[in-house]
């Protein structure tokens, strides 16, 4: 079968299941199967596909039509201009999380050799994006999930930051609470979907992304912040920064947890929804 016909049929198959942008997905899956970019698809509409290529394409279409996120099928997602490996052990990095990276970089400007920890690192996207902008800086990153840490470590190696970003297992900042305050910044995109909001999530997210990356914050999704904020107050040096991504209805409740902090601010996303809360330890 010709390449252009296979993509047309693939698009129709995905359209019938109403999954995202069917044409774009059908093309992305073909790029994945052929190991080629989009320009190649447009330049070779008449390419005859082998039966092996067609079988593999069919398999990926079937997974996508069944609701599996495209990124778990291709194994990749771009974040901060970097290519991340993703598996079902990690949350697929979201564009809105780039606001947390931006806010962190802005606050770190001018700080010499800051000591940073990323809590709930998942694929490692926040820690590795920061490493890509802060040459020299050593970053620590923790997660409760060993499977997620394996993916994060592979990303660090592929992106050549394995010597500067150190991953380890910890329940939030638990492993750092014995010693003296050591960090200049705690950054985190913790699980914040409330149990009561589970049915509002896209089915694709609810059924395929890791439960521990989404939930754990109780009914309103705030319980992790209730633990993380006092832990950060212990682990940060005086004047250190806490940068947290939050859910779209959580700003007020989180500000109430930060009354002992100073310079509390929120950063809106492109729709004007508060997405990141920043606070400074007194
Ligand atoms: C919303 S995901 C964020 C992943 C990644 N930082 C990102 O922005 O794409 C939350 C992450 O926190 C981790 N996590 C959940 N509970 C945790 C805990 N108690 N301590 C440490 N990490 C936790 C999950 O395994 C998951 O990787």
């Amino acid at each position: 079968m010709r390449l252009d016909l296979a993509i047309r049929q693939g698009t129709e198959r995905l359209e019938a299941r109403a999954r995202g942008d069917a044409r774009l997905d059908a093309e992305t899956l073909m790029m994945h199967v052929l190991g080629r970019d989009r320009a190649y698809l447009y330049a070779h509409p008449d390419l005859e596909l082998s039966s092996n290529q067609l079988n593999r394409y069919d398999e990926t279409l079937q997974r996508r039509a069944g609701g599996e996120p495209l990124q778990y099928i291709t194994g990749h997602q771009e974040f901060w201009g970097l290519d991340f490996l993703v598996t079902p052990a990690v949350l697929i990095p979201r564009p809105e999380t780039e606001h947390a990276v931006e806010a962190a970089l802005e606050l770190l400007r001018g700080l010499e050799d800051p000591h940073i920890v990323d809590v709930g690192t998942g694929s490692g996207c926040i820690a590795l994006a920061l490493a890509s902008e802060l040459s020299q800086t050593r970053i620590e990153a923790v997660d409760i999930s060993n499977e997620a840490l394996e993916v994060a470590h592979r990303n660090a190696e592929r992106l050549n930051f394995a010597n500067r970003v150190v991953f380890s297992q910890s329940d939030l900042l638990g492993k750092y609470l014995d010693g003296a305050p050591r960090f200049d910044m705690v950054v985190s995109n913790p699980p914040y979907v409330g149990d009561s909001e589970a049915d509002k999530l896209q089915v694709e997210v609810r059924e395929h992304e890791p439960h521990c990356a989404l939930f754990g914050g109780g009914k309103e999704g705030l319980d992790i912040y209730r633990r993380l904020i006092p832990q950060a107050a212990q682990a940060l040096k005086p004047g250190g920064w806490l940068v947290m991504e939050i859910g779209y209805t959580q700003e007020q409740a989180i500000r109430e947890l930060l009354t002992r902090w100073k310079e509390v601010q929120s950063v809106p996303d492109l729709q004007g929804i508060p997405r990141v809360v920043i606070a400074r330890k007194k």
Side-chain angles (χ1 to χ4, degrees):
M1 186 186 294
R2 278 169 57 119
L3 176 67
D4 54 355
L5 180 59
I7 292 178
R8 200 167 342 123
Q9 288 186 356
T11 304
E12 284 163 12
R13 193 161 153 194
L14 295 181
E15 271 167 356
R17 306 297 298 259
R19 301 256 175 235
D21 183 329
R23 170 82 195 188
L24 207 62
D25 286 6
E27 287 181 0
T28 304
L29 293 173
M30 184 60 83
M31 286 155 55
H32 170 64
V33 166
L34 299 182
R36 300 284 192 170
D37 62 11
R38 207 173 299 278
Y40 180 90
L41 303 189
Y42 292 139
H44 301 86
D46 53 358
L47 179 81
E48 276 301 324
L49 297 173
S50 70
S51 57
N52 180 278
Q53 287 168 332
L54 278 172
N55 285 342
R56 284 174 43 225
Y57 189 48
D58 182 66
E59 203 182 295
T60 62
L61 284 168
Q62 195 171 328
R63 288 170 66 185
R64 183 69 193 119
E68 191 169 341
L70 194 65
Q71 294 88 338
Y72 290 149
I73 304 173
T74 63
H76 293 266
Q77 172 64 32
E78 190 196 302
F79 180 85
W80 202 258
L82 304 169
D83 176 43
F84 283 86
L85 294 180
V86 290
T87 75
V90 299
L91 189 88
I92 299 165
R94 305 294 205 269
E96 55 266 28
T97 301
E98 295 189 342
H99 293 296
V101 175
E102 252 162 28
L105 288 172
E106 182 70 32
L107 298 168
L108 290 165
R109 202 184 294 164
L111 264 188
E112 214 172 293
D113 201 14
H115 199 175
I116 304 167
V117 61
D118 171 19
V119 181
T121 195
S123 61
C125 61
I126 296 178
L128 294 167
L130 291 175
S132 75
E133 299 289 339
L134 303 164
S135 55
Q136 319 290 329
T137 305
R138 252 175 68 92
I139 299 174
E140 303 199 32
V142 295
D143 205 288
I144 202 159
S145 154
N146 275 322
E147 290 84 357
L149 288 164
E150 270 171 39
V151 176
H153 190 67
R154 280 171 65 204
N155 278 319
E157 287 193 324
R158 290 177 76 242
L159 297 167
N160 286 325
F161 297 125
N163 56 341
R164 285 202 288 122
V165 183
V166 180
F167 296 98
S168 59
Q169 193 192 27
S170 176
D171 179 5
L172 301 181
L173 288 164
K175 68 173 274 191
Y176 300 110
L177 298 180
D178 286 347
R182 63 173 86 186
F183 293 109
D184 298 290
M185 177 175 283
V186 172
V187 59
S188 183
N189 174 19
Y192 56 68
V193 181
D195 296 340
S196 59
E197 296 167 322
D199 56 352
K200 292 195 204 111
L201 280 182
Q202 281 179 292
V203 179
E204 201 168 302
V205 174
R206 193 174 60 229
E207 288 185 358
H208 293 274
E209 300 209 51
H211 193 271
C212 80
L214 300 168
F215 303 101
K219 189 162 173 270
E220 317 290 341
L222 293 165
D223 293 358
I224 297 260
Y225 298 103
R226 289 194 181 103
R227 292 174 58 220
L228 178 61
I229 291 170
Q231 287 190 356
Q234 256 182 280
L236 281 168
K237 299 177 198 162
W241 292 99
L242 174 59
V243 177
M244 300 178 295
E245 182 168 326
I246 61 166
Y248 70 104
T249 57
Q250 293 173 329
E251 184 196 10
Q252 200 44 47
I254 286 173
R255 280 181 177 267
E256 283 164 22
L257 300 174
L258 290 165
T259 49
R260 295 206 194 127
W261 296 63
K262 59 181 181 176
E263 298 177 45
V264 178
Q265 309 156 48
S266 54
V267 181
D269 65 14
L270 298 175
Q271 278 85 48
I273 299 166
R275 269 295 172 189
V276 177
V277 166
I278 296 166
R280 191 166 201 187
K281 181 175 164 179
K282 283 185 182 161

